[in-house]
Amino acid sequence: MNRETHILRHLETALAATPDGLAAQLDLGTRSIVNAVARLDAMLGTAASVRLVDGRYRLYILDARRYGEIRQALLDADESLNDPAHRRALIYRALLRAAGPVRIGDLASRLSVSRTTATTDLAALRETLAGHDVTITGRTNSGIRLEGSELDLRMAGLTHFAEVLCDHYPLGDEIAETVASICTSRHLNRSSRHTVLRWLTMLLDRYLSGHPLTELPPEFSELEGTPSHDFAAELLAGISPLVRIDPPPTEQLFMAMAVAGMRTPDDQEGRQLFPADEDVPALVDAIFDRITEVMGLQVEAAELADEFAHHLTFMLSRMRFRIHLDDDAVADIRDQYPVAHRMAEISRQVLEERTGLRITDSEVGLLAGYHQVFLDHHERSRRTHLRVAVVTSAGRVSGHLLRIQLARILPEGTRYVMMSADQLDDDALTAADLVVSTPGALAGTGGALTSPVVELGAVFDRDELVNQLSRVRLHRYADLNLAGAGSSLLVSMLDADRFMALPPGTDYHRATAALIDRLEELGLVGESFREALRRRERDSSMLLDELVGFPHATVPGAERVVLAMGVIPRHIDEPGVRAVFVMGVPDKQDYDDTILIDVYDEIIRLASDRALITSLSRVTSHEQLFWFMADHPTRRNT
């Protein structure tokens, strides 16, 4: 798929993308992405446009009919020989099906490209195949050929070139119907059915052309007698009479591998047909124990627990048999769900330690998807209904109009208490999580109110109100400045006393010690907090990466969350930590630990941008920090 088509398809399905995210997907520089987007925008003409809004590209469609025509033309053109990836797939197919050596000149003629272009494509193809122990051997004049085991040749094709090798292969209606019937009976979802069909196509193409699979590594014997093996046996028994073949047991194991590494069945009945491995529950417990140990988050796999156990079973099979998933589906998940991705990275460590298998980045992305579901369930389980007092000085109608606007923003189930400025209910105001008033309605109350107050006129900035209201549920446990605090939760939890510009060269441990000293001087923590951090640090480093540290622990007897931040000035290529955040949380049972999730989210987003965190390391005051974060918002949309 060429650059422009890839970007278009991504924007259609992901709805938005950052220039850096697209650059990482396509392995290009940001400037190349900017140029590709400009070309795509020109191709779309007046039917649609790709615009950069708030740092993310978005697709706007003005003329749906004309856009559909242009889109189809782009997709058709992408199938042409102008796409290097498509040409490499065609070269691999030609070499895979060749009876002998193939001359480079003949390949160039088939592809309608120059010999130089064909040579460049071959160099890129060699690099791709190296990861599968497949090589291209031979001489330029006498011809080249593929070298590798039959299994490696098939796996390289299925991993990188399945669309060209398999999707247009003439299987015939009877075979397709047989496959569909057996897959349906085993409750395979659409994605898994497509995978099975591709693997079967590869098997038939290679077997019928005289390339049977005669040898397999010893670990494939683990598949014998499993539900995946039973499925493969039934499938090949149904297919064999239609093509008049009698495939050996090795081909059954090959097809069993396709099912053992498939995506998890969607329904409970399908998962019962393919049970999770017996040792997976212990792995799940170990994963969540490690997440609690490293991150301090006590999240459980309550929702999708059964599916997660099955996912781990299928995932470990994919790793064991070197089945690779498409990276595009999870390319943006690190940026979109940074806390869940951090949990997935910890999960990878546990799985690799306990199984000895290498977990790929694409599998980490899938794990992050599950962890985001677990986080969302955890946050919903801790969430309580908001109590909002609406105070007006201009009559009941204005108060109800204000409530109507708030209802469009606040969560369903929010409870409202309406009152006029002349008849204030002190008990209701004290019990409210939030007080919203019209201008001047609370004049004369002084500083008696303990609940956060937002004063709104008839017209107000909805986005800024959302930023402020997103912190209301945290106000009970942290001192937050709701009025004019900008979009940064971190800044709203800090003040001039708890921000420190540390000397150049300060390391992580000295920075942490200095911040604890400051919190002790302010009377916010005691020696027990320092010792708690030491114990946690001994068990697992709280450096998120080489740039940012986030040591945090409980503060015995504390009622509220405390946070301190220190920055150490560095140059962009200079090694060493740039920022350290020290956080203490209450040790009581009813503490809302979703504040820790929100803080993690913002810190990880900061740490993911080396240039941004390096610039941040040079601020020298809380005031500079405020304006820096206002100019570089990093918080997720809440």
Side-chain angles (χ1 to χ4, degrees):
M1 189 178 291
N2 64 35
R3 298 174 185 178
E4 292 76 20
T5 307
H6 180 101
I7 292 170
L8 181 65
R9 291 292 295 126
H10 184 82
L11 293 177
E12 286 181 330
T13 56
L15 305 183
T18 63
D20 289 341
L22 290 172
Q25 285 186 42
L26 293 171
D27 195 21
L28 297 170
T30 305
R31 173 51 55 186
S32 297
I33 293 298
V34 172
N35 292 336
V37 169
R39 289 193 298 271
L40 174 60
D41 201 51
M43 294 173 186
L44 294 173
T46 59
S49 180
V50 178
R51 301 288 179 91
L52 187 66
V53 180
D54 295 331
R56 300 177 74 86
Y57 286 119
R58 301 177 191 276
L59 175 65
Y60 297 90
I61 300 173
L62 287 74
D63 184 338
R65 184 190 63 79
R66 179 62 183 145
Y67 169 76
E69 294 172 352
I70 296 172
R71 175 186 183 277
Q72 191 58 50
L74 286 172
L75 293 176
D76 291 343
D78 186 55
E79 294 297 322
S80 74
L81 300 177
N82 293 324
D83 178 16
H86 189 66
R87 290 199 305 269
R88 290 195 294 271
L90 294 176
I91 291 173
Y92 187 78
R93 183 175 68 182
L95 295 177
L96 187 65
R97 294 178 177 175
V102 180
R103 295 177 184 272
I104 295 178
D106 293 338
L107 285 174
S109 297
R110 291 189 203 179
L111 299 174
S112 300
V113 296
S114 68
R115 187 184 181 91
T116 300
T117 299
T119 301
T120 301
D121 289 339
L122 278 168
L125 180 59
R126 282 190 172 95
E127 186 176 341
T128 298
L129 297 178
H132 297 273
D133 295 328
V134 174
T135 58
I136 299 175
T137 61
R139 297 184 177 181
T140 303
N141 295 327
S142 59
I144 57 175
R145 64 191 305 161
L146 293 174
E147 292 285 349
S149 71
E150 177 61 23
L151 177 62
D152 288 337
L153 291 171
R154 293 186 186 190
M155 293 306 298
L158 287 167
T159 301
H160 301 287
F161 314 116
E163 183 178 357
V164 167
L165 292 175
C166 305
D167 287 358
H168 304 292
Y169 190 91
L171 279 179
D173 292 341
E174 283 188 286
I175 293 177
E177 290 171 3
T178 300
V179 172
S181 175
I182 295 173
C183 287
T184 300
S185 70
R186 300 299 183 98
H187 294 264
L188 269 63
N189 56 32
R190 179 180 297 182
S191 172
S192 297
R193 292 198 299 269
H194 188 52
T195 297
V196 167
L197 203 58
R198 280 182 165 181
W199 282 61
L200 178 63
T201 300
M202 177 65 76
L203 184 156
L204 292 176
D205 182 51
R206 296 297 290 167
Y207 188 86
L208 293 172
S209 61
H211 299 91
L213 187 61
T214 57
E215 293 182 335
L216 286 172
E219 60 265 24
F220 277 71
S221 61
E222 299 174 15
L223 291 169
E224 294 177 357
T226 64
S228 299
H229 191 228
D230 294 341
F231 173 92
E234 180 184 353
L235 180 68
L236 292 181
I239 295 300
S240 295
L242 301 177
V243 289
R244 299 177 183 176
I245 62 171
D246 184 19
T250 47
E251 297 288 11
Q252 281 190 5
L253 290 175
F254 176 75
M255 281 308 305
M257 183 167 61
V259 183
M262 68 180 177
R263 301 291 284 268
T264 306
D266 295 330
D267 57 58
Q268 180 66 31
E269 191 170 352
R271 292 193 291 274
Q272 288 176 349
L273 292 173
F274 298 94
D277 290 344
E278 292 181 356
D279 56 349
V280 164
L283 282 176
V284 173
D285 290 341
I287 285 171
F288 284 96
D289 287 346
R290 182 73 63 84
I291 288 171
T292 299
E293 175 187 320
V294 174
M295 299 182 70
L297 295 175
Q298 294 186 336
V299 180
E300 297 178 350
E303 193 164 320
L304 298 184
D306 176 66
E307 187 171 335
F308 184 58
H310 280 79
H311 173 78
L312 291 181
T313 297
F314 288 115
M315 183 196 74
L316 293 175
S317 291
R318 288 193 292 271
M319 298 300 92
R320 189 172 293 114
F321 301 119
R322 296 189 299 168
I323 302 172
H324 298 283
L325 295 176
D326 181 10
D327 291 344
D328 289 347
V330 293
D332 290 337
I333 205 159
R334 177 195 288 269
D335 294 332
Q336 194 164 5
Y337 305 117
V339 180
H341 197 274
R342 172 72 172 163
M343 295 167 70
E345 290 281 9
I346 294 170
S347 303
R348 166 156 61 184
Q349 294 170 8
V350 173
L351 292 169
E352 289 184 342
E353 289 170 8
R354 289 183 168 243
T355 67
L357 298 170
R358 178 182 170 273
I359 310 300
T360 63
D361 289 344
S362 57
E363 295 290 354
V364 171
L366 288 177
L367 285 170
Y370 279 95
H371 283 302
Q372 182 58 39
V373 173
F374 303 148
L375 280 174
D376 182 69
H377 176 80
H378 178 73
E379 290 183 292
R380 283 188 282 111
S381 69
R382 302 302 298 266
R383 195 170 295 152
T384 57
H385 292 301
L386 284 176
R387 294 164 296 181
V388 177
V390 179
V391 184
T392 177
S393 58
R396 290 173 56 83
V397 172
S398 62
H400 282 286
L401 289 175
L402 187 55
R403 179 185 60 78
I404 290 171
Q405 294 185 71
L406 290 171
R408 294 171 180 166
I409 299 172
L410 295 175
E412 187 176 351
T414 298
R415 296 163 185 165
Y416 300 91
V417 177
M418 313 296 295
M419 63 184 76
S420 70
D422 297 327
Q423 295 179 320
L424 295 179
D425 184 332
D426 292 338
D427 291 337
L429 289 173
T430 301
D433 297 302
L434 172 70
V435 177
V436 179
S437 78
T438 56
L442 292 173
T445 58
L449 289 177
T450 57
S451 301
V453 178
V454 176
E455 191 175 69
L456 295 175
V459 178
F460 55 84
D461 186 316
R462 181 183 182 279
D463 291 337
E464 179 57 28
L465 180 60
V466 170
N467 277 333
Q468 295 188 21
L469 295 185
S470 67
R471 304 184 201 129
V472 168
R473 64 187 174 85
L474 307 177
H475 187 272
R476 182 179 174 189
Y477 299 103
D479 293 317
L480 302 176
N481 176 18
L482 285 175
S487 62
S488 171
L489 174 64
L490 294 173
V491 171
S492 72
M493 296 175 66
L494 293 166
D495 57 26
D497 290 332
R498 288 177 287 128
F499 172 82
M500 299 181 70
L502 298 167
T506 303
D507 64 19
Y508 165 66
H509 294 291
R510 284 189 291 164
T512 301
L515 291 169
I516 297 172
D517 289 344
R518 176 62 59 87
L519 290 175
E520 286 186 350
E521 291 169 7
L522 296 171
L524 298 174
V525 301
E527 182 61 31
S528 59
F529 175 67
R530 188 188 300 269
E531 183 55 37
L533 281 179
R534 285 183 185 140
R535 287 195 301 271
R536 290 206 62 210
E537 197 71 44
R538 281 196 297 267
D539 293 335
S540 178
S541 173
M542 287 179 280
L543 266 171
L544 297 183
D545 55 27
E546 64 166 344
L547 305 178
V548 176
F550 182 31
H552 55 282
T554 57
V555 181
E559 293 291 327
R560 307 181 75 75
V561 174
V562 294
L563 180 73
M565 174 186 179
V567 294
I568 303 97
R570 308 271 187 194
H571 299 296
I572 186 68
D573 296 323
E574 184 181 356
V577 67
R578 270 89 166 137
V580 176
F581 301 85
V582 171
M583 184 169 167
V585 300
D587 61 351
K588 52 187 180 180
Q589 292 296 318
D590 63 343
Y591 152 63
D592 182 2
D593 65 354
T594 59
I595 189 173
L596 183 57
I597 297 172
D598 287 340
V599 170
Y600 251 120
D601 185 275
E602 188 169 0
I603 291 176
I604 294 174
R605 290 179 191 274
L606 278 172
S608 67
D609 188 331
R610 187 183 186 93
L612 181 66
I613 196 67
T614 299
S615 297
L616 176 63
S617 75
R618 301 193 190 104
V619 303
T620 58
S621 68
H622 180 259
E623 180 182 354
Q624 288 185 11
L625 174 68
F626 179 98
W627 293 116
F628 182 93
M629 295 302 291
D631 292 337
H632 303 88
T634 56
R635 286 196 69 210
R636 63 176 173 172
N637 293 325
T638 52

